[in-house]
Amino acid sequence: MAPTDLPAPFTTLAGPHRFDAVIENSEFLTFADRADTPEDALAQLSALRARYPDATHHCWAYRIGAAYRFNDDGEPGGTAGAPILRAIEGQGVDRVMVVVVRFYGGVKLGTGGLVRAYGGGAAECLRTAARLEVRPRRTVRVAVPFDAVSGLYHLLGTWDVTRGEEAYTAGGVELDVHLYSEDTGAFAAALRDATRGAAVTDLD
């Protein structure tokens, strides 16, 4: 995969987060978490429906790359799911699912009040959640002869890389190295130096 084919870096949530509010006697419990697929997002929704079966509404939205969905779950159209989605987009996060669980308190909030309750709760939940910057890595196949393996291992210990499983061949060792796209050029040069030009990669 060429560097230009890699997914762009994105900001998501480091873990699940919750924000609670009481507005005109109604309870709004907002839950946000990372979701890498629509299936992940809907599984979170199912879990919250099972956890709070007596809630009046379970309104939600997710944004996963270019994919998004939202649902008002019985609230007036446009007053819940869409404001939640706008909050996700406004906070600049991706691969995120937000569910707002409402327990009705007997006082109608009106269209504007609902928009503020759902959108505001979602925005505050996301604003206060811990975030994670995800930078996709590129996989580079490296092959070195046995007499250059120690140089390779020393190099890997000084770089921010992750290693795949090693495969032994008649001539040496092959393994996948996962590194950030912007590091590939410098890594290739350092690898040549560390192995005295004996290493071969699919960058060549």
Side-chain angles (χ1 to χ4, degrees), residues 32-85:
D33 201 356
R34 177 173 176 172
D36 288 306
T37 66
E39 291 76 16
D40 288 346
L42 296 179
Q44 294 175 28
L45 174 64
S46 295
L48 288 168
R49 281 178 169 159
R51 184 175 172 186
Y52 299 101
D54 298 330
T56 317
H57 304 281
H58 301 80
C59 304
W60 56 272
Y62 68 70
R63 164 70 72 179
I64 303 169
Y68 64 90
R69 280 184 63 190
F70 56 88
N71 191 285
D72 295 314
D73 194 33
E75 294 283 28
T79 63
I84 296 170
L85 179 62

Side-chain angles (χ1 to χ4, degrees), residues 137-142 144 148-168 173-180 187 191:
R137 293 178 183 262
R138 180 181 180 190
T139 299
V140 176
R141 188 69 172 175
V142 177
V144 297
V149 168
S150 61
L152 170 65
Y153 288 166
H154 176 74
L155 177 67
L156 295 179
T158 63
W159 280 74
D160 184 2
V161 301
T162 58
R163 294 161 49 177
E165 290 189 13
E166 300 172 356
Y168 292 91
V173 175
E174 294 184 2
L175 76 158
D176 288 332
V177 177
H178 312 288
L179 66 159
Y180 295 122
F187 177 81
L191 181 62

Side-chain angles (χ1 to χ4, degrees), residues 7-107:
F10 63 91
T11 301
T12 188
L13 301 187
H17 192 61
R18 174 175 173 172
F19 173 76
D20 296 351
V22 177
I23 302 172
E24 296 291 349
N25 297 327
S26 282
E27 291 183 69
F28 291 85
L29 315 180
T30 303
F31 299 86
D33 201 356
R34 177 173 176 172
D36 288 306
T37 66
E39 291 76 16
D40 288 346
L42 296 179
Q44 294 175 28
L45 174 64
S46 295
L48 288 168
R49 281 178 169 159
R51 184 175 172 186
Y52 299 101
D54 298 330
T56 317
H57 304 281
H58 301 80
C59 304
W60 56 272
Y62 68 70
R63 164 70 72 179
I64 303 169
Y68 64 90
R69 280 184 63 190
F70 56 88
N71 191 285
D72 295 314
D73 194 33
E75 294 283 28
T79 63
I84 296 170
L85 179 62
R86 287 196 295 272
I88 295 173
E89 295 170 339
Q91 289 295 314
V93 289
D94 191 9
R95 302 194 186 190
V96 167
M97 172 65 157
V98 177
V99 182
V100 182
V101 178
R102 182 189 183 187
F103 290 88
Y104 181 57
V107 179

Side-chain angles (χ1 to χ4, degrees), residues 113-125:
L114 290 172
V115 169
R116 287 189 294 274
Y118 283 102
E124 185 64 13
C125 185

